[in-house]
Amino acid sequence: MATKGKCAICGAEFERPAHNGRSIYCDDCRNRIIRAYEARMDAHSLTRMPNCLICGAPNRSNWKMACCEEHARMLNGILSAARKARNNRLSREYHRKGGKPKETYTPKKKPLCKIDQDAHDAKAAGMSYGQYMALKAQRRDAT
């Protein structure tokens, strides 16, 4: 059984669906806001919007899409489900394409200092560091 409700944004009366009797926004306002959000995300635009998505007033606040805290809360209520659906859709598309695992960061190897380089060379030659250094000194003295 559908009940009547009044939209908190535009003030128009709308029928609340039977499965969601607590909705406070009409479908027109909800769809308008979600379309604007999707267009913004598809364009990768993270700048402040010139006008509030709720009332259309100039946006001079700290919020990127709303003019005041009350409207920011309203937007969050409307867009939370849209964000979840969008992220799920993108995740499904990514995995359907056989997405590669994210590359892990591997730091570049620093060049070894002289002592470390000598120790590495001694180990590669199958000697201890002391034996390698003695052999190296003999070679240096012979020349």
Side-chain angles (χ1 to χ4, degrees), residues 79-142:
L79 294 178
S80 63
R83 279 192 297 268
K84 186 175 181 180
R86 181 176 190 274
N87 288 338
N88 287 341
R89 178 179 48 85
L90 292 175
S91 178
R92 278 193 306 273
E93 288 174 5
Y94 176 78
H95 290 295
R96 195 174 296 135
K97 290 178 184 176
K100 298 177 184 173
K102 291 183 180 178
E103 293 181 18
T104 57
Y105 172 72
T106 53
K108 294 180 181 177
K109 290 189 175 181
K110 294 180 182 177
L112 298 174
C113 66
K114 185 160 177 39
I115 294 174
D116 289 339
Q117 184 63 45
D118 289 338
H120 181 269
D121 293 342
K123 189 173 185 179
M127 297 185 227
S128 70
Y129 175 75
Q131 291 170 337
Y132 180 78
M133 292 307 290
L135 181 65
K136 192 173 174 183
Q138 286 175 356
R139 289 182 187 160
R140 187 179 51 230
D141 291 340

Side-chain angles (χ1 to χ4, degrees), residues 2-113:
T3 60
K4 293 273 186 185
K6 189 173 182 180
C7 179
I9 297 174
C10 67
E13 285 200 10
F14 67 99
E15 293 212 10
R16 293 181 174 145
H19 66 278
N20 188 6
R22 294 177 15 181
S23 61
I24 57 174
Y25 309 110
C26 65
D27 288 337
D28 293 336
C29 291
R30 183 183 306 276
N31 292 337
R32 174 181 57 85
I33 291 169
I34 290 173
R35 275 195 312 272
Y37 172 76
E38 288 288 335
R40 180 180 164 86
M41 290 296 110
D42 290 341
H44 301 289
S45 174
L46 299 176
T47 59
R48 176 176 290 129
M49 295 186 76
N51 295 328
C52 176
L53 278 179
I54 299 290
C55 66
N59 186 7
R60 296 186 187 98
S61 68
N62 292 333
W63 296 280
K64 294 198 182 256
M65 296 186 287
C67 62
C68 62
E69 186 176 355
E70 180 183 348
H71 290 177
R73 285 188 187 141
M74 292 169 82
L75 271 175
N76 190 39
I78 293 171
L79 294 178
S80 63
R83 279 192 297 268
K84 186 175 181 180
R86 181 176 190 274
N87 288 338
N88 287 341
R89 178 179 48 85
L90 292 175
S91 178
R92 278 193 306 273
E93 288 174 5
Y94 176 78
H95 290 295
R96 195 174 296 135
K97 290 178 184 176
K100 298 177 184 173
K102 291 183 180 178
E103 293 181 18
T104 57
Y105 172 72
T106 53
K108 294 180 181 177
K109 290 189 175 181
K110 294 180 182 177
L112 298 174
C113 66

